[in-house]
Amino acid sequence: MRNELSKEECHREYRKKQFQQQWLSDEKYKLWLREVKSEPTKCKCIACNVEIMCGKSEIEKHANSIKHSTNVKSLRGSKSLLSSFTKSKENEILENNIKISEIKLAAFLAEHNVALHTIDHLTPLLKEIFHDSKICKGVNLHRTKVTSVIKNIIAPVEIYETVEIIKNNPFSVLVDESTDLTCQTFLCLLVRFVHPNSGMVHTKLLELVPVNAINCSAKSIYGHFKECLLKKNIPLNNIVGVACDGAAVMVGIHNYFMTCMVEDSPKVIKMQCFCHSSALVASKACLNLPRTVEQLIRSISSYVSGSAKRCAQLVEIQEFFDNQRKTILKLAETRWLALHQCVVRVLECWPSLIEYFRIALFEDKLKSAQTILDELLNPYTKCYFLFLKYALNYLNTFNALFQSREIMIHKLFDQSLNLMKIICQNFVKPSLLDNISCLNFHISNLLPVEEVFLGAECQSLLNLQPIDNINVFKEKCQKFYITVAEEIIKRLPISNNLFKEFKFLDPEIALDANNRAGFDNLPLLSEQFGNYFDKFELINEWRQLPSSLNNSQTIHLKNLGVVDNAQMWKEISVLKNFVNDSPKFPNICTLARLALTLPHSNAEAVRIFSIVNDVKTKKRNRIGNDTLNSISIIRSSFQDKNQTCMNFKVNKHHIALHNTHNLYL
């Protein structure tokens, strides 16, 4: 019967559902659904902060509400308060690895001279290739940031240790001035020092200073030089030597760079570049010979290089004659070794060049081809080439020797003297060669013109010519020799006893008392560097050094000195007294470190400008001076350490500088 039961009786009992733990692993609910411990039949939404009856339909109904959808979106982007102040160790390691990756990528671009804007494509490409790498996903590197990493992280760290060392230790500077592709003038400032811990000798670029080309006077250049050092808190009194080229603004007669330098550092040693000096010796001497040699080299190069067809024809003739393809070199006066190399190359190609210009004259009928052919057929022209091949070889060997990065300061005096003797034995009486540094080139001291030696090849070809012409030819070559000898006396330290005393660094002199004739007390070095040590103790230690070592120690140190002179003196410096455990030879080792800081040439500065010309090209002519300076510092430091981007170690200083303030502000 309808309505016969009461409301209480007809009410059906509702079966309550309980919370299911599997809901917490469901992607739909795990973000916002939580269990209520006190009420098993209820659950809580942490996004809306409300309790819901357990049941799939009730949960779905709440999840589809507009309010819940809005709250869940804000929940997805929020972090807990604790996570804002603490960082998990895993995340910290990942963040550091990302920084290391960005720094090493920047070092790669700087070392290999890659355009910095390529990183805009390289970073997305790496992310696509290594899509499963968390480090690669975190790398966020583009042109602006990679430039900042180079300028504000890598370069400052590379020079930080250098600046800290030379603040408290003596060092030498290498200074040179040049212009880049866009005619921007730079002052290249390098420092050379002995590392106090390792004992190694380092030469590094300190800064590439832009200079106003309108005012390049000695005072202006010295002002930039002084400002650069004082800005880094480097005292000028720590400078013991300055190396520069032979330009008038550097080593002229009045108001030159070295004048200003001596006013601030009276004891500084002026080291004019001996590679540059030997090149000037050759240049001055060649003025005594006819200009035929240089004109012929330039004419051949201009004639052949102007046409691809002519180059191909020359190659074909060379292959027919000697099966060798050799390019005709262009003569560049700014290159130290260029003239000798060009002379040798033309002589190697002499037969093929004669046949080439015979064919060229027949086909092209040009006056230039006729002129070149006439010179090639002239026997005296070839004699001049053979003479220059012989004479310039000695100057170039000396030049190349002192372009080395090895320690050569103790060999400079002997090598200069040997060069002088080798040149003079060709035209000076043998009895006068023993006192060559004071030789007067009067005609009474010279060999007769007939006995002047010009080299075996030149002599054999010259003997086929008429006697009268031979004497005229030899007179010109004798003037060449005289100019070479006079310029060597003027420019190289063959009579400077201070450079002679630097031979004390040689292991054969330092460790063997029998080879010390003339090296008893080192008076000039004691006077020059007396502020750094006790002069009297220096003499005592110098005299005791050979007898304080046993045979095995002497042999070991001599072998080490041949390979690395600086390391030999480092090992001597750690020898101890048995009485008080103090260094046994502190004063003589201090003098050795001072001598090792002196550069033997200015070749390192020239290498820096080679880096500048390599970085700033026609396609990269807008690169900023700061960026150019930083890249040059990085590459110079990498070369000094014999380091590449692969073994470059990112340390704590790099990571500490890798922050928003350094990169962008």
Side-chain angles (χ1 to χ4, degrees):
M1 294 175 58
R2 186 174 297 178
N3 298 328
E4 65 182 19
L5 296 177
S6 65
K7 291 183 178 182
E8 289 78 7
E9 291 175 331
C10 68
H11 179 70
R12 185 172 56 184
E13 183 178 359
Y14 181 78
R15 186 165 58 89
K16 296 180 180 180
K17 298 181 179 179
Q18 294 188 347
F19 184 82
Q20 303 293 322
Q21 291 294 331
Q22 62 188 13
W23 292 342
L24 295 178
S25 59
D26 195 327
E27 291 293 335
K28 294 181 181 180
Y29 313 131
K30 68 179 184 179
L31 182 65
W32 52 271
L33 191 63
R34 296 294 182 269
E35 179 182 6
V36 180
K37 298 292 185 180
S38 58
E39 293 285 344
T41 59
K42 292 182 179 181
C43 55
K44 183 177 182 179
C45 174
I46 61 173
C48 303
N49 197 24
V50 296
E51 292 184 354
I52 314 165
M53 294 297 297
C54 290
K56 209 64 175 292
S57 58
E58 285 80 1
I59 295 174
E60 286 287 345
K61 183 178 179 180
H62 176 78
N64 294 330
S65 65
I66 298 175
K67 179 182 178 182
H68 176 80
S69 301
T70 305
N71 293 337
V72 167
K73 288 181 181 179
S74 62
L75 183 65
R76 291 181 186 276
S78 64
K79 295 181 180 179
S80 66
L81 184 62
L82 185 62
S83 64
S84 300
F85 294 96
T86 60
K87 188 183 295 184
S88 67
K89 189 173 182 180
E90 183 179 351
N91 291 337
E92 186 177 357
I93 294 173
L94 177 61
E95 184 178 337
N96 287 341
N97 288 335
I98 292 171
K99 290 181 179 181
I100 292 171
S101 302
E102 293 178 348
I103 293 170
K104 289 185 76 71
L105 280 172
F108 165 78
L109 297 181
E111 182 198 353
H112 295 285
N113 196 27
V114 180
L116 301 182
H117 65 80
T118 56
I119 198 68
D120 291 339
H121 286 192
L122 181 61
T123 302
L125 180 63
L126 292 176
K127 289 184 178 182
E128 182 180 349
I129 296 172
F130 306 107
H131 55 83
D132 56 343
S133 171
K134 292 182 179 180
I135 297 176
C136 194
K137 287 179 181 178
V139 172
N140 187 19
L141 203 60
H142 294 280
R143 182 175 61 180
T144 302
K145 187 175 182 180
V146 78
T147 305
S148 297
V149 171
I150 290 172
K151 292 195 301 183
N152 302 330
I153 297 177
I154 305 178
V157 172
E158 291 299 322
I159 66 172
Y160 171 77
E161 182 183 4
T162 300
V163 172
E164 291 299 313
I165 291 174
I166 63 179
K167 278 181 182 179
N168 306 306
N169 294 279
F171 66 97
S172 294
V173 294
L174 296 85
V175 184
D176 199 3
E177 185 186 10
S178 184
T179 56
D180 64 6
L181 179 75
T182 58
C183 296
Q184 168 67 57
T185 304
F186 286 101
L187 178 66
C188 176
L189 177 56
L190 296 99
V191 292
R192 181 181 175 92
F193 59 94
V194 178
H195 198 286
N197 297 328
S198 66
M200 300 291 291
V201 179
H202 296 277
T203 305
K204 293 186 178 182
L205 175 64
L206 188 65
E207 191 171 339
L208 203 61
V209 184
V211 179
N212 185 2
I214 297 176
N215 183 14
C216 286
S217 64
K219 289 186 177 180
S220 175
I221 294 174
Y222 184 74
H224 286 90
F225 165 80
K226 188 174 180 180
E227 181 185 0
C228 175
L229 294 181
L230 296 181
K231 183 174 63 177
K232 296 177 172 59
N233 298 321
I234 301 171
L236 296 175
N237 292 331
N238 286 356
I239 302 175
V240 295
V242 177
C244 58
D245 58 13
V249 72
M250 291 291 179
V251 292
I253 300 175
H254 302 293
N255 297 324
Y256 55 97
F257 179 88
M258 286 303 302
T259 304
C260 304
M261 186 75 244
V262 171
E263 290 178 359
D264 288 330
S265 301
K267 287 288 189 177
V268 71
I269 298 177
K270 182 184 72 173
M271 306 284 293
Q272 187 172 337
C273 178
F274 299 107
C275 294
H276 190 262
S277 297
S278 63
L280 290 177
V281 169
S283 178
K284 296 281 187 181
C286 287
L287 297 177
N288 294 282
L289 302 179
R291 302 287 293 177
T292 307
V293 175
E294 294 185 23
Q295 289 176 355
L296 183 59
I297 293 172
R298 289 192 173 92
S299 299
I300 294 173
S301 176
S302 300
Y303 190 92
V304 175
S305 63
S307 169
K309 178 183 176 181
R310 292 175 181 176
C311 291
Q313 289 173 340
L314 179 60
V315 170
E316 185 178 356
I317 292 174
Q318 286 177 341
E319 291 176 349
F320 176 78
F321 272 87
D322 51 14
N323 295 323
Q324 274 190 322
R325 176 180 177 178
K326 295 181 179 179
T327 306
I328 302 299
L329 302 177
K330 292 184 179 180
L331 182 61
E333 293 183 356
T334 56
R335 299 293 180 182
W336 290 335
L337 312 179
L339 180 58
H340 180 259
Q341 294 172 344
C342 293
V343 166
V344 172
R345 181 56 55 87
V346 171
L347 285 172
E348 290 173 344
C349 302
W350 199 276
S352 57
L353 285 173
I354 291 176
E355 295 303 321
Y356 171 79
F357 281 101
R358 280 176 176 166
I359 297 172
L361 179 62
F362 177 78
E363 293 181 350
D364 300 335
K365 297 180 175 59
L366 296 176
K367 186 177 180 180
S368 58
Q370 179 68 60
T371 304
I372 295 172
L373 181 61
D374 291 343
E375 290 295 340
L376 289 171
L377 294 175
N378 186 348
Y380 294 102
T381 301
K382 189 171 184 180
C383 286
Y384 279 121
F385 271 83
L386 291 172
F387 169 68
L388 287 176
K389 176 185 176 182
Y390 168 75
L392 293 180
N393 179 55
Y394 297 111
L395 292 170
N396 277 22
T397 302
F398 179 87
N399 194 321
L401 177 65
F402 286 95
Q403 289 185 42
S404 171
R405 286 191 169 100
E406 296 179 3
I407 297 167
M408 304 293 294
I409 188 68
H410 59 292
K411 299 180 181 179
L412 184 56
F413 181 84
D414 282 348
Q415 291 297 330
S416 300
L417 202 60
N418 289 339
L419 176 63
M420 183 70 172
K421 288 183 178 180
I422 289 172
I423 295 296
C424 287
Q425 70 181 358
N426 295 313
F427 72 104
V428 175
K429 292 179 180 179
S431 59
L432 302 175
L433 294 178
D434 292 335
N435 192 15
I436 202 73
S437 60
C438 302
L439 182 63
N440 180 15
F441 299 102
H442 189 267
I443 191 170
S444 60
N445 296 328
L446 307 181
L447 292 172
V449 175
E450 298 81 8
E451 298 180 16
V452 174
F453 185 70
L454 309 178
E457 291 179 287
C458 178
Q459 200 76 44
S460 62
L461 180 60
L462 194 62
N463 290 337
L464 303 176
Q465 313 308 319
I467 296 177
D468 295 339
N469 294 339
I470 292 176
N471 290 338
V472 173
F473 183 91
K474 286 195 171 184
E475 285 177 359
K476 294 180 180 179
C477 294
Q478 187 183 52
K479 291 180 181 179
F480 177 94
Y481 281 141
I482 293 173
T483 304
V484 169
E486 290 175 345
E487 292 294 323
I488 287 175
I489 293 174
K490 178 182 175 181
R491 299 179 184 277
L492 298 182
I494 63 171
S495 58
N496 191 332
N497 289 327
L498 179 65
F499 285 89
K500 184 178 180 180
E501 288 190 3
F502 283 128
K503 291 171 62 177
F504 85 95
L505 293 171
D506 192 329
E508 293 296 331
I509 293 176
L511 305 176
D512 192 343
N514 297 324
N515 298 330
R516 286 190 170 186
F519 295 93
D520 293 335
N521 299 327
L522 307 175
L524 296 179
L525 288 176
S526 298
E527 180 65 26
Q528 181 70 35
F529 300 115
N531 297 333
Y532 293 94
F533 47 75
D534 188 325
K535 297 179 184 179
F536 300 106
E537 288 297 325
L538 173 73
I539 297 173
N540 294 334
E541 292 175 11
W542 173 243
R543 298 177 68 88
Q544 294 171 9
L545 179 59
S547 58
S548 300
L549 304 172
N550 56 42
N551 290 334
S552 60
Q553 285 178 317
T554 302
I555 294 172
H556 168 69
L557 289 173
K558 282 186 177 181
N559 294 334
L560 185 61
V562 173
V563 179
D564 190 347
N565 193 273
Q567 198 60 35
M568 180 194 80
W569 285 101
K570 173 64 177 177
E571 291 203 9
I572 294 175
S573 68
V574 299
L575 297 176
K576 301 289 185 180
N577 278 320
F578 293 108
V579 179
N580 53 10
D581 199 35
S582 61
K584 197 170 186 178
F585 305 104
N587 295 282
I588 191 64
C589 290
T590 299
L591 177 60
R593 284 194 294 271
L594 291 167
L596 291 171
T597 62
L598 295 173
H600 51 266
S601 74
N602 216 32
E604 286 294 336
V606 178
R607 292 188 181 101
I608 294 299
F609 285 117
S610 297
I611 292 174
V612 171
N613 293 331
D614 188 38
V615 174
K616 195 167 187 177
T617 59
K618 290 182 179 180
K619 287 188 176 181
R620 303 180 70 188
N621 57 15
R622 293 177 60 190
I623 190 170
N625 292 339
D626 291 342
T627 307
L628 180 62
N629 172 55
S630 299
I631 293 175
S632 301
I633 287 173
I634 293 169
R635 292 181 62 173
S636 171
S637 181
F638 279 19
Q639 289 176 4
D640 177 73
K641 298 176 182 177
N642 195 21
Q643 181 176 267
T644 66
C645 59
M646 293 185 291
N647 56 19
F648 165 60
K649 300 296 183 183
V650 179
N651 57 37
K652 61 181 181 181
H653 300 294
H654 294 102
I655 296 175
L657 290 175
H658 193 294
N659 53 58
T660 304
H661 183 272
N662 283 330
L663 293 178
Y664 301 111
L665 299 182

